[in-house]
Amino acid sequence: MAQQPLTPPPDLSGGRHAGLPLGIIGNCSFSALIDERAEVVWACMPRVDGDPVFHSLLGRNAALPQAQGYWSVELEGQTRSEQRYLDNTAVLVTVLRDDAGNAVEITDFAPRFRLHGRQFRPLAMVRRLRPLAGVPRITVRLRPAFNYGALPPAVTQGSNHVRYVGPEFSLRLTTNAPIGYVLAETAFMLREPLAFHLGPDETPEGAIEPLSRDFQERTESEWREWTRRLALPLEWQSAVIRAAITLKLCTSEETGAIVAALTTSLPEAPGSARNWDYRYCWLRDAFFVVRALNSLSEVETMEHYLGFLQNVALSANSHLQPVFGVGLETQLSERIASQLSGFAGHGPVRVGNQAHEHIQHDVYGNVVLAAAQSFFDERLLRRSGIEDFALYERMGELAFHHYHTPDAGMWELRHRARVHTSSALMCWAACDRLARIAAHLGLSAREPYWRKRAEVIRAAVENEGWNAELNCYVESFGGRDLDAGLLLMPEVGFHPGNHPRILSTLTAIEHKLKRGAHLFRYHAPDDFGAPETAFTVCTFWYLDALARAGRRDEARALFENLLSCRNHLGLLSEDLHPQSQQLWGNFPQTYSMVGIINAAVRLSRDWEEVV
């Protein structure tokens, strides 16, 4: 198959975190990113879209040398490190070693378990240290800052704690380590286990080391019980489990929101200025997360999300915005945090996202598709019914009204509006699913109403989204360009995967969008020029299209290649450079982790083959 030539590899120098060797911990309230040397480089509080009190991943404010946004445990003379998750958990273990035979083990987690009949997920992270070999000499450097690194904390201390006071909230470190050593960043010999509990300005109950050990045991048990309930495919189980846990960590159990990623401003490509804040709930991305977890029989996330989704749907008037804050915030005004230089110096650092102002018509299909299973699944504590259907009908009316009007599209182009085929496709999906739901609910008048509207949109997509000269569907009505969103047609049931139009569109996409083993979102230049990196979820969509077209062996080989691109802990970001296969973009990207689950479920051999 003819392909476009590869671009030269980018300059990847200038950052110790190039390649994103990061792990995440969290508890569905907040999260933290920890690098391979056990440095906490990113953690937003009091929630995932909040102030990054640890922000060194995006640079350190040179004006505040004692408040540089990180938390490290440094082993004197360290030469190497090892890092892994405890099986089937979100508990991260890092081992630092020197050449003299000394080693320290650092265990990081955010407490999460059932307590007093409800989920206990405090705004706290726990670090447990123990000497693993020899008598390691360590230095603890705890340097939070506030307002994206612009404000140093006021620091006070007690006999077993340190307070870091900010303008809106304060953090308290409780530890059995010598407080003076922590404050002065003094090197000391680690001879016995130490525990560090960093959280709200409250005193934990009981001695901190046994309390932290108990919290860890309960948290491990909670995650293992959660993963035990997953309906896993036969193959690639460890990859699927890690993807599922990662998706769960991108949810807010308080509100039901699902964020697109846990970071802001990790660039799509070096020096590209394609730096975006993804710590918000895109209705599009959330649908794909819900669909993937549902495929593993994890429906709790859908149940939580539906509460968020219904509040969102009620806010719609003439249109529905595509993205919201974790607490249903509608204003996500974009600004630059100029005091931070950006990831490996590749700024700017953006806070907020202009997409909240966009018109993106595919959102109506994403809402209805995310809710559709709730009308049919008898396992749910609360199945959706006629009242819920009436709410989602509002989305259908907007879909039918807008399917033929220009929008920014699913790729959120900032300065160009077209009638995007993928947006019309999702408007069709909204009406199609409403017809199916109406039939299931016995609403005899509403089923033909929505079926007719779906047929009208289908005819428009088939006539205006198809380019007879190019013999393929195209990115916009009457256009000539291609984009990877067209690969979703079989996914949402518009055409089967072996339909002649899908096969010819797949051929055209291979020719225009494939670079090496990876797929770009689109090939036409946008507001920032021509894209430089492949969008990982598009490669997963391509893989799925191959499988549906009967090219299963190719799909399996491509999946194995994608798995090899994960970082050392099995995580993926948003983008990949097709030649270096280096990770770029926000991290971890829910879209990409969804791709792992969907590919494994589609391509795995059946259990019946071995059991």
Side-chain angles (χ1 to χ4, degrees), residues 317-350:
N317 294 310
S318 60
H319 81 283
L320 181 66
Q321 69 184 63
V323 58
F324 293 80
V326 171
L328 291 170
E329 292 84 2
T330 58
Q331 298 299 311
L332 306 174
S333 300
E334 198 171 285
R335 62 182 177 88
I336 304 296
S338 57
Q339 64 272 17
L340 298 177
S341 60
F343 175 78
H346 299 295
V349 173
R350 301 184 200 270

PDB file of all heavy atoms in Angstrom, residues 317-350:
ATOM      1  N   ASN A 317     -29.256  24.371  25.428  1.00  0.00           N
ATOM      2  CA  ASN A 317     -30.305  25.212  24.859  1.00  0.00           C
ATOM      3  C   ASN A 317     -30.262  25.090  23.338  1.00  0.00           C
ATOM      4  O   ASN A 317     -30.749  24.123  22.785  1.00  0.00           O
ATOM      5  CB  ASN A 317     -30.137  26.659  25.326  1.00  0.00           C
ATOM      6  CG  ASN A 317     -30.362  26.804  26.821  1.00  0.00           C
ATOM      7  OD1 ASN A 317     -31.374  26.326  27.334  1.00  0.00           O
ATOM      8  ND2 ASN A 317     -29.447  27.454  27.522  1.00  0.00           N
ATOM      9  N   SER A 318     -29.653  26.056  22.673  1.00  0.00           N
ATOM     10  CA  SER A 318     -29.559  25.969  21.211  1.00  0.00           C
ATOM     11  C   SER A 318     -28.473  25.008  20.772  1.00  0.00           C
ATOM     12  O   SER A 318     -28.482  24.527  19.638  1.00  0.00           O
ATOM     13  CB  SER A 318     -29.290  27.351  20.618  1.00  0.00           C
ATOM     14  OG  SER A 318     -28.073  27.880  21.130  1.00  0.00           O
ATOM     15  N   HIS A 319     -27.509  24.738  21.660  1.00  0.00           N
ATOM     16  CA  HIS A 319     -26.487  23.728  21.381  1.00  0.00           C
ATOM     17  C   HIS A 319     -25.906  23.263  22.711  1.00  0.00           C
ATOM     18  O   HIS A 319     -26.194  23.835  23.768  1.00  0.00           O
ATOM     19  CB  HIS A 319     -25.390  24.291  20.466  1.00  0.00           C
ATOM     20  CG  HIS A 319     -24.360  25.112  21.192  1.00  0.00           C
ATOM     21  ND1 HIS A 319     -24.596  26.408  21.610  1.00  0.00           N
ATOM     22  CD2 HIS A 319     -23.088  24.824  21.598  1.00  0.00           C
ATOM     23  CE1 HIS A 319     -23.532  26.880  22.236  1.00  0.00           C
ATOM     24  NE2 HIS A 319     -22.606  25.948  22.241  1.00  0.00           N
ATOM     25  N   LEU A 320     -25.092  22.228  22.654  1.00  0.00           N
ATOM     26  CA  LEU A 320     -24.437  21.681  23.841  1.00  0.00           C
ATOM     27  C   LEU A 320     -22.940  21.825  23.669  1.00  0.00           C
ATOM     28  O   LEU A 320     -22.377  21.379  22.660  1.00  0.00           O
ATOM     29  CB  LEU A 320     -24.809  20.205  24.012  1.00  0.00           C
ATOM     30  CG  LEU A 320     -24.220  19.484  25.236  1.00  0.00           C
ATOM     31  CD1 LEU A 320     -24.776  20.071  26.527  1.00  0.00           C
ATOM     32  CD2 LEU A 320     -24.535  17.986  25.176  1.00  0.00           C
ATOM     33  N   GLN A 321     -22.282  22.460  24.644  1.00  0.00           N
ATOM     34  CA  GLN A 321     -20.838  22.596  24.520  1.00  0.00           C
ATOM     35  C   GLN A 321     -20.179  21.236  24.710  1.00  0.00           C
ATOM     36  O   GLN A 321     -20.723  20.357  25.394  1.00  0.00           O
ATOM     37  CB  GLN A 321     -20.292  23.621  25.504  1.00  0.00           C
ATOM     38  CG  GLN A 321     -20.328  23.246  26.962  1.00  0.00           C
ATOM     39  CD  GLN A 321     -19.830  24.404  27.843  1.00  0.00           C
ATOM     40  OE1 GLN A 321     -20.426  25.480  27.882  1.00  0.00           O
ATOM     41  NE2 GLN A 321     -18.719  24.180  28.542  1.00  0.00           N
ATOM     42  N   PRO A 322     -19.010  21.027  24.123  1.00  0.00           N
ATOM     43  CA  PRO A 322     -18.423  19.678  24.096  1.00  0.00           C
ATOM     44  C   PRO A 322     -17.623  19.291  25.328  1.00  0.00           C
ATOM     45  O   PRO A 322     -17.296  18.124  25.497  1.00  0.00           O
ATOM     46  CB  PRO A 322     -17.511  19.726  22.870  1.00  0.00           C
ATOM     47  CG  PRO A 322     -17.111  21.158  22.773  1.00  0.00           C
ATOM     48  CD  PRO A 322     -18.286  21.960  23.238  1.00  0.00           C
ATOM     49  N   VAL A 323     -17.285  20.249  26.194  1.00  0.00           N
ATOM     50  CA  VAL A 323     -16.387  19.960  27.302  1.00  0.00           C
ATOM     51  C   VAL A 323     -16.808  20.755  28.524  1.00  0.00           C
ATOM     52  O   VAL A 323     -17.272  21.900  28.413  1.00  0.00           O
ATOM     53  CB  VAL A 323     -14.923  20.274  26.908  1.00  0.00           C
ATOM     54  CG1 VAL A 323     -14.759  21.717  26.478  1.00  0.00           C
ATOM     55  CG2 VAL A 323     -13.966  19.950  28.036  1.00  0.00           C
ATOM     56  N   PHE A 324     -16.649  20.129  29.697  1.00  0.00           N
ATOM     57  CA  PHE A 324     -17.033  20.734  30.967  1.00  0.00           C
ATOM     58  C   PHE A 324     -15.942  20.480  31.996  1.00  0.00           C
ATOM     59  O   PHE A 324     -15.159  19.534  31.881  1.00  0.00           O
ATOM     60  CB  PHE A 324     -18.347  20.134  31.473  1.00  0.00           C
ATOM     61  CG  PHE A 324     -19.547  20.472  30.631  1.00  0.00           C
ATOM     62  CD1 PHE A 324     -19.801  19.785  29.459  1.00  0.00           C
ATOM     63  CD2 PHE A 324     -20.421  21.480  31.012  1.00  0.00           C
ATOM     64  CE1 PHE A 324     -20.905  20.099  28.666  1.00  0.00           C
ATOM     65  CE2 PHE A 324     -21.524  21.799  30.241  1.00  0.00           C
ATOM     66  CZ  PHE A 324     -21.766  21.109  29.063  1.00  0.00           C
ATOM     67  N   GLY A 325     -15.936  21.319  33.024  1.00  0.00           N
ATOM     68  CA  GLY A 325     -15.059  21.066  34.151  1.00  0.00           C
ATOM     69  C   GLY A 325     -15.546  19.876  34.957  1.00  0.00           C
ATOM     70  O   GLY A 325     -16.691  19.421  34.818  1.00  0.00           O
ATOM     71  N   VAL A 326     -14.683  19.375  35.817  1.00  0.00           N
ATOM     72  CA  VAL A 326     -15.022  18.192  36.614  1.00  0.00           C
ATOM     73  C   VAL A 326     -16.250  18.445  37.486  1.00  0.00           C
ATOM     74  O   VAL A 326     -17.020  17.523  37.768  1.00  0.00           O
ATOM     75  CB  VAL A 326     -13.807  17.784  37.478  1.00  0.00           C
ATOM     76  CG1 VAL A 326     -14.172  16.712  38.485  1.00  0.00           C
ATOM     77  CG2 VAL A 326     -12.672  17.302  36.575  1.00  0.00           C
ATOM     78  N   GLY A 327     -16.453  19.677  37.896  1.00  0.00           N
ATOM     79  CA  GLY A 327     -17.618  20.030  38.702  1.00  0.00           C
ATOM     80  C   GLY A 327     -18.723  20.677  37.894  1.00  0.00           C
ATOM     81  O   GLY A 327     -19.469  21.501  38.428  1.00  0.00           O
ATOM     82  N   LEU A 328     -18.842  20.349  36.606  1.00  0.00           N
ATOM     83  CA  LEU A 328     -19.843  20.875  35.683  1.00  0.00           C
ATOM     84  C   LEU A 328     -19.590  22.328  35.286  1.00  0.00           C
ATOM     85  O   LEU A 328     -20.480  22.980  34.746  1.00  0.00           O
ATOM     86  CB  LEU A 328     -21.265  20.745  36.259  1.00  0.00           C
ATOM     87  CG  LEU A 328     -21.825  19.332  36.375  1.00  0.00           C
ATOM     88  CD1 LEU A 328     -23.115  19.334  37.186  1.00  0.00           C
ATOM     89  CD2 LEU A 328     -22.104  18.755  34.977  1.00  0.00           C
ATOM     90  N   GLU A 329     -18.384  22.830  35.535  1.00  0.00           N
ATOM     91  CA  GLU A 329     -18.080  24.196  35.135  1.00  0.00           C
ATOM     92  C   GLU A 329     -18.200  24.345  33.617  1.00  0.00           C
ATOM     93  O   GLU A 329     -17.744  23.488  32.866  1.00  0.00           O
ATOM     94  CB  GLU A 329     -16.674  24.593  35.575  1.00  0.00           C
ATOM     95  CG  GLU A 329     -16.490  24.708  37.075  1.00  0.00           C
ATOM     96  CD  GLU A 329     -16.205  23.366  37.747  1.00  0.00           C
ATOM     97  OE1 GLU A 329     -16.108  22.350  37.030  1.00  0.00           O
ATOM     98  OE2 GLU A 329     -16.089  23.338  38.993  1.00  0.00           O
ATOM     99  N   THR A 330     -18.796  25.450  33.188  1.00  0.00           N
ATOM    100  CA  THR A 330     -18.977  25.699  31.760  1.00  0.00           C
ATOM    101  C   THR A 330     -17.951  26.679  31.207  1.00  0.00           C
ATOM    102  O   THR A 330     -17.708  26.693  29.995  1.00  0.00           O
ATOM    103  CB  THR A 330     -20.385  26.250  31.480  1.00  0.00           C
ATOM    104  OG1 THR A 330     -20.583  27.455  32.238  1.00  0.00           O
ATOM    105  CG2 THR A 330     -21.445  25.223  31.878  1.00  0.00           C
ATOM    106  N   GLN A 331     -17.357  27.499  32.046  1.00  0.00           N
ATOM    107  CA  GLN A 331     -16.369  28.477  31.605  1.00  0.00           C
ATOM    108  C   GLN A 331     -14.969  27.946  31.904  1.00  0.00           C
ATOM    109  O   GLN A 331     -14.575  27.835  33.063  1.00  0.00           O
ATOM    110  CB  GLN A 331     -16.597  29.819  32.314  1.00  0.00           C
ATOM    111  CG  GLN A 331     -17.945  30.442  32.006  1.00  0.00           C
ATOM    112  CD  GLN A 331     -18.125  30.733  30.525  1.00  0.00           C
ATOM    113  OE1 GLN A 331     -17.254  31.321  29.886  1.00  0.00           O
ATOM    114  NE2 GLN A 331     -19.259  30.318  29.971  1.00  0.00           N
ATOM    115  N   LEU A 332     -14.249  27.620  30.852  1.00  0.00           N
ATOM    116  CA  LEU A 332     -12.894  27.073  30.983  1.00  0.00           C
ATOM    117  C   LEU A 332     -11.921  27.976  30.238  1.00  0.00           C
ATOM    118  O   LEU A 332     -11.121  27.529  29.419  1.00  0.00           O
ATOM    119  CB  LEU A 332     -12.842  25.643  30.420  1.00  0.00           C
ATOM    120  CG  LEU A 332     -13.866  24.650  30.988  1.00  0.00           C
ATOM    121  CD1 LEU A 332     -13.795  23.323  30.247  1.00  0.00           C
ATOM    122  CD2 LEU A 332     -13.667  24.441  32.484  1.00  0.00           C
ATOM    123  N   SER A 333     -11.991  29.253  30.529  1.00  0.00           N
ATOM    124  CA  SER A 333     -11.219  30.251  29.792  1.00  0.00           C
ATOM    125  C   SER A 333      -9.735  29.901  29.771  1.00  0.00           C
ATOM    126  O   SER A 333      -9.159  29.523  30.792  1.00  0.00           O
ATOM    127  CB  SER A 333     -11.423  31.630  30.409  1.00  0.00           C
ATOM    128  OG  SER A 333     -12.789  31.991  30.368  1.00  0.00           O
ATOM    129  N   GLU A 334      -9.144  30.058  28.611  1.00  0.00           N
ATOM    130  CA  GLU A 334      -7.764  29.640  28.394  1.00  0.00           C
ATOM    131  C   GLU A 334      -6.802  30.794  28.702  1.00  0.00           C
ATOM    132  O   GLU A 334      -7.020  31.919  28.273  1.00  0.00           O
ATOM    133  CB  GLU A 334      -7.609  29.196  26.935  1.00  0.00           C
ATOM    134  CG  GLU A 334      -6.393  28.359  26.643  1.00  0.00           C
ATOM    135  CD  GLU A 334      -6.434  27.785  25.245  1.00  0.00           C
ATOM    136  OE1 GLU A 334      -7.214  26.823  25.008  1.00  0.00           O
ATOM    137  OE2 GLU A 334      -5.694  28.297  24.387  1.00  0.00           O
ATOM    138  N   ARG A 335      -5.736  30.474  29.449  1.00  0.00           N
ATOM    139  CA  ARG A 335      -4.705  31.471  29.747  1.00  0.00           C
ATOM    140  C   ARG A 335      -3.349  30.773  29.752  1.00  0.00           C
ATOM    141  O   ARG A 335      -3.268  29.538  29.714  1.00  0.00           O
ATOM    142  CB  ARG A 335      -4.951  32.144  31.098  1.00  0.00           C
ATOM    143  CG  ARG A 335      -4.908  31.196  32.301  1.00  0.00           C
ATOM    144  CD  ARG A 335      -5.215  31.928  33.592  1.00  0.00           C
ATOM    145  NE  ARG A 335      -5.256  31.038  34.743  1.00  0.00           N
ATOM    146  CZ  ARG A 335      -4.187  30.709  35.475  1.00  0.00           C
ATOM    147  NH1 ARG A 335      -2.976  31.202  35.155  1.00  0.00           N
ATOM    148  NH2 ARG A 335      -4.305  29.899  36.517  1.00  0.00           N
ATOM    149  N   ILE A 336      -2.285  31.552  29.813  1.00  0.00           N
ATOM    150  CA  ILE A 336      -0.918  31.036  29.818  1.00  0.00           C
ATOM    151  C   ILE A 336      -0.309  31.225  31.200  1.00  0.00           C
ATOM    152  O   ILE A 336      -0.359  32.317  31.763  1.00  0.00           O
ATOM    153  CB  ILE A 336      -0.049  31.759  28.774  1.00  0.00           C
ATOM    154  CG1 ILE A 336      -0.670  31.641  27.382  1.00  0.00           C
ATOM    155  CG2 ILE A 336       1.376  31.198  28.786  1.00  0.00           C
ATOM    156  CD1 ILE A 336      -0.760  30.242  26.848  1.00  0.00           C
ATOM    157  N   ALA A 337       0.256  30.150  31.760  1.00  0.00           N
ATOM    158  CA  ALA A 337       1.024  30.229  33.008  1.00  0.00           C
ATOM    159  C   ALA A 337       2.477  30.489  32.616  1.00  0.00           C
ATOM    160  O   ALA A 337       3.280  29.559  32.466  1.00  0.00           O
ATOM    161  CB  ALA A 337       0.876  28.950  33.825  1.00  0.00           C
ATOM    162  N   SER A 338       2.818  31.755  32.447  1.00  0.00           N
ATOM    163  CA  SER A 338       4.105  32.113  31.849  1.00  0.00           C
ATOM    164  C   SER A 338       5.288  31.859  32.765  1.00  0.00           C
ATOM    165  O   SER A 338       6.436  31.831  32.307  1.00  0.00           O
ATOM    166  CB  SER A 338       4.091  33.589  31.432  1.00  0.00           C
ATOM    167  OG  SER A 338       3.803  34.416  32.551  1.00  0.00           O
ATOM    168  N   GLN A 339       5.046  31.652  34.055  1.00  0.00           N
ATOM    169  CA  GLN A 339       6.155  31.396  34.983  1.00  0.00           C
ATOM    170  C   GLN A 339       6.750  30.002  34.805  1.00  0.00           C
ATOM    171  O   GLN A 339       7.846  29.727  35.314  1.00  0.00           O
ATOM    172  CB  GLN A 339       5.699  31.589  36.438  1.00  0.00           C
ATOM    173  CG  GLN A 339       4.627  30.622  36.917  1.00  0.00           C
ATOM    174  CD  GLN A 339       3.211  31.117  36.621  1.00  0.00           C
ATOM    175  OE1 GLN A 339       3.010  32.015  35.787  1.00  0.00           O
ATOM    176  NE2 GLN A 339       2.230  30.554  37.310  1.00  0.00           N
ATOM    177  N   LEU A 340       6.073  29.127  34.073  1.00  0.00           N
ATOM    178  CA  LEU A 340       6.577  27.787  33.806  1.00  0.00           C
ATOM    179  C   LEU A 340       7.029  27.693  32.353  1.00  0.00           C
ATOM    180  O   LEU A 340       6.324  28.144  31.440  1.00  0.00           O
ATOM    181  CB  LEU A 340       5.498  26.739  34.089  1.00  0.00           C
ATOM    182  CG  LEU A 340       5.008  26.660  35.548  1.00  0.00           C
ATOM    183  CD1 LEU A 340       3.892  25.644  35.684  1.00  0.00           C
ATOM    184  CD2 LEU A 340       6.155  26.328  36.493  1.00  0.00           C
ATOM    185  N   SER A 341       8.186  27.077  32.134  1.00  0.00           N
ATOM    186  CA  SER A 341       8.778  27.040  30.797  1.00  0.00           C
ATOM    187  C   SER A 341       8.188  25.955  29.908  1.00  0.00           C
ATOM    188  O   SER A 341       8.386  25.976  28.695  1.00  0.00           O
ATOM    189  CB  SER A 341      10.288  26.830  30.901  1.00  0.00           C
ATOM    190  OG  SER A 341      10.582  25.600  31.575  1.00  0.00           O
ATOM    191  N   GLY A 342       7.472  24.993  30.493  1.00  0.00           N
ATOM    192  CA  GLY A 342       6.872  23.925  29.712  1.00  0.00           C
ATOM    193  C   GLY A 342       7.685  22.647  29.747  1.00  0.00           C
ATOM    194  O   GLY A 342       8.834  22.618  30.189  1.00  0.00           O
ATOM    195  N   PHE A 343       7.090  21.579  29.279  1.00  0.00           N
ATOM    196  CA  PHE A 343       7.718  20.271  29.257  1.00  0.00           C
ATOM    197  C   PHE A 343       8.997  20.315  28.420  1.00  0.00           C
ATOM    198  O   PHE A 343       8.958  20.647  27.229  1.00  0.00           O
ATOM    199  CB  PHE A 343       6.743  19.247  28.670  1.00  0.00           C
ATOM    200  CG  PHE A 343       7.308  17.872  28.482  1.00  0.00           C
ATOM    201  CD1 PHE A 343       7.445  17.017  29.556  1.00  0.00           C
ATOM    202  CD2 PHE A 343       7.703  17.439  27.230  1.00  0.00           C
ATOM    203  CE1 PHE A 343       7.965  15.741  29.381  1.00  0.00           C
ATOM    204  CE2 PHE A 343       8.229  16.165  27.046  1.00  0.00           C
ATOM    205  CZ  PHE A 343       8.354  15.325  28.130  1.00  0.00           C
ATOM    206  N   ALA A 344      10.139  20.003  29.046  1.00  0.00           N
ATOM    207  CA  ALA A 344      11.437  20.037  28.360  1.00  0.00           C
ATOM    208  C   ALA A 344      11.666  21.367  27.650  1.00  0.00           C
ATOM    209  O   ALA A 344      12.348  21.421  26.625  1.00  0.00           O
ATOM    210  CB  ALA A 344      11.546  18.873  27.379  1.00  0.00           C
ATOM    211  N   GLY A 345      11.076  22.440  28.198  1.00  0.00           N
ATOM    212  CA  GLY A 345      11.228  23.757  27.608  1.00  0.00           C
ATOM    213  C   GLY A 345      10.294  24.055  26.461  1.00  0.00           C
ATOM    214  O   GLY A 345      10.361  25.132  25.858  1.00  0.00           O
ATOM    215  N   HIS A 346       9.395  23.121  26.142  1.00  0.00           N
ATOM    216  CA  HIS A 346       8.477  23.289  25.018  1.00  0.00           C
ATOM    217  C   HIS A 346       7.162  23.891  25.518  1.00  0.00           C
ATOM    218  O   HIS A 346       6.180  23.184  25.734  1.00  0.00           O
ATOM    219  CB  HIS A 346       8.222  21.956  24.312  1.00  0.00           C
ATOM    220  CG  HIS A 346       9.439  21.325  23.719  1.00  0.00           C
ATOM    221  ND1 HIS A 346      10.141  21.892  22.681  1.00  0.00           N
ATOM    222  CD2 HIS A 346      10.104  20.176  24.027  1.00  0.00           C
ATOM    223  CE1 HIS A 346      11.173  21.127  22.357  1.00  0.00           C
ATOM    224  NE2 HIS A 346      11.173  20.084  23.172  1.00  0.00           N
ATOM    225  N   GLY A 347       7.145  25.219  25.735  1.00  0.00           N
ATOM    226  CA  GLY A 347       5.938  25.888  26.154  1.00  0.00           C
ATOM    227  C   GLY A 347       5.013  26.140  24.966  1.00  0.00           C
ATOM    228  O   GLY A 347       5.305  25.719  23.842  1.00  0.00           O
ATOM    229  N   PRO A 348       3.890  26.820  25.211  1.00  0.00           N
ATOM    230  CA  PRO A 348       3.469  27.414  26.479  1.00  0.00           C
ATOM    231  C   PRO A 348       2.737  26.425  27.371  1.00  0.00           C
ATOM    232  O   PRO A 348       2.329  25.347  26.921  1.00  0.00           O
ATOM    233  CB  PRO A 348       2.518  28.518  26.012  1.00  0.00           C
ATOM    234  CG  PRO A 348       1.868  27.925  24.785  1.00  0.00           C
ATOM    235  CD  PRO A 348       2.964  27.150  24.101  1.00  0.00           C
ATOM    236  N   VAL A 349       2.574  26.820  28.649  1.00  0.00           N
ATOM    237  CA  VAL A 349       1.754  26.058  29.584  1.00  0.00           C
ATOM    238  C   VAL A 349       0.379  26.711  29.618  1.00  0.00           C
ATOM    239  O   VAL A 349       0.227  27.862  30.038  1.00  0.00           O
ATOM    240  CB  VAL A 349       2.382  26.042  30.984  1.00  0.00           C
ATOM    241  CG1 VAL A 349       1.429  25.391  31.987  1.00  0.00           C
ATOM    242  CG2 VAL A 349       3.713  25.297  30.951  1.00  0.00           C
ATOM    243  N   ARG A 350      -0.613  25.983  29.130  1.00  0.00           N
ATOM    244  CA  ARG A 350      -1.975  26.522  29.065  1.00  0.00           C
ATOM    245  C   ARG A 350      -2.819  26.005  30.230  1.00  0.00           C
ATOM    246  O   ARG A 350      -2.707  24.840  30.626  1.00  0.00           O
ATOM    247  CB  ARG A 350      -2.652  26.135  27.752  1.00  0.00           C
ATOM    248  CG  ARG A 350      -1.932  26.612  26.498  1.00  0.00           C
ATOM    249  CD  ARG A 350      -2.737  26.271  25.248  1.00  0.00           C
ATOM    250  NE  ARG A 350      -1.904  26.278  24.059  1.00  0.00           N
ATOM    251  CZ  ARG A 350      -1.688  27.336  23.293  1.00  0.00           C
ATOM    252  NH1 ARG A 350      -2.254  28.496  23.609  1.00  0.00           N
ATOM    253  NH2 ARG A 350      -0.914  27.247  22.218  1.00  0.00           N
TER     254      ARG A 350
END
